[in-house]
């Protein structure tokens, strides 16, 4: 059996980024390095670079999230980027959406342990919860799927004029180009690539921003959303 990798001390940037939630960020890193690895939520090789590659890389997403909005973290997995974002932004209302039970169990434990009262864990797939979850201002995602596929899951969860923020790597520009037609059909009106985390992470985190108009998901999802809303009203009347 391979010996578990050791979690390195938190870098000085973590104190600056997480502020009064720094100790909670340390506890979360410890949980990822221990229970996260044991439950197969994160690979053991990621432990030495948990701070730079995962926690800080995700926390700096806060630079482009508007104040006081609702957020849905699609395919949250072990809580990345949702939990680091929640630790630095208590003004947000965040939903961690994840279909796998072992992951939602872990997320629920973390949320309760860290006292993240502004975070809710929901088990389900994005396409299943559309019409059940209140549409959000911002959808976030990291390492979930190629952009065109991710957009079909994330954009329909947005409220009109919302935006999807997807943390991507070196393929960001290529993915954005190849997904252009799909994004347009889904109601996207503007797309861009932004870099965040200057002075915190090197290289900086790359974010694909997709802004939508008045019909998130386009015509096809507008019909689905209306049907889901009618079903919900009918159930409430019973």
């Amino acid at each position: 059996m391979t010996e578990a990798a050791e979690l390195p001390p938190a870098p000085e940037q973590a104190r600056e980024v997480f502020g009064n939630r720094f100790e909670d960020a340390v506890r979360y890193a410890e949980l990822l390095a221990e229970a996260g690895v044991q439950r197969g939520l994160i690979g053991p090789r990621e432990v030495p670079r948990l701070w730079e590659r995962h926690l800080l890389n995700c926390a700096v997403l806060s630079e482009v999230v508007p104040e006081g909005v609702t957020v849905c973290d699609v395919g949250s997995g072990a809580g990345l980027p949702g939990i680091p974002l929640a630790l630095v932004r208590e003004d947000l209302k965040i939903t961690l959406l994840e279909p796998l039970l072992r992951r939602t169990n872990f997320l629920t434990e973390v949320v309760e342990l860290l006292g993240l009262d502004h975070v809710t864990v929901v088990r389900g797939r994005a396409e299943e919860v559309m019409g059940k979850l209140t549409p959000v201002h911002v959808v976030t995602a990291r390492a979930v799927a190629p952009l065109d596929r991710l957009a079909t899951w994330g954009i329909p969860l947005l409220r009109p004029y919302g935006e999807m923020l997807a943390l991507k790597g070196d393929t960001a520009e290529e993915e954005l180009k190849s997904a252009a037609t799909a994004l347009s059909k889904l109601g996207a009106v503007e797309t861009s690539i932004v870099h965040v985390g200057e002075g915190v992470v090197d290289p900086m985190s790359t974010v694909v921003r997709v802004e939508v108009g008045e019909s998130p998901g386009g015509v096809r999802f507008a019909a689905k959303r209306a049907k889901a809303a009618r079903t919900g009203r009918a159930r409430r009347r019973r």
Side-chain angles (χ1 to χ4, degrees), residues 31-51:
L31 288 166
L32 286 174
E34 297 162 6
V37 172
Q38 291 165 7
R39 300 187 196 182
L41 305 182
I42 194 164
R45 292 183 181 179
E46 297 302 311
V47 173
R49 50 186 184 179
L50 267 177
W51 284 105

Side-chain angles (χ1 to χ4, degrees), residues 105-192:
N105 285 342
F106 176 77
L107 292 172
T108 300
E109 291 167 20
V110 171
V111 167
E112 292 176 356
L113 183 66
L114 302 185
L116 298 175
D117 298 333
H118 57 305
V119 178
T120 302
V121 178
V122 173
R123 185 185 176 198
R125 298 182 183 279
E127 57 269 37
E128 296 169 348
V129 301
M130 188 181 65
K132 299 175 184 176
L133 287 183
T134 302
V136 296
H137 297 90
V138 177
V139 161
T140 59
R142 178 178 186 257
V144 174
L147 187 61
D148 54 352
R149 201 184 325 153
L150 173 63
T152 64
W153 301 333
I155 287 180
L157 300 178
L158 290 169
R159 57 183 287 168
Y161 308 104
E163 60 184 340
M164 183 175 74
L165 300 172
L167 279 162
K168 289 288 182 179
D170 297 335
T171 62
E173 192 170 337
E174 182 182 330
E175 285 193 49
L176 189 52
K177 285 180 181 176
S178 63
T181 301
L183 292 174
S184 179
K185 289 180 180 178
L186 287 165
V189 294
E190 190 170 339
T191 61
S192 58

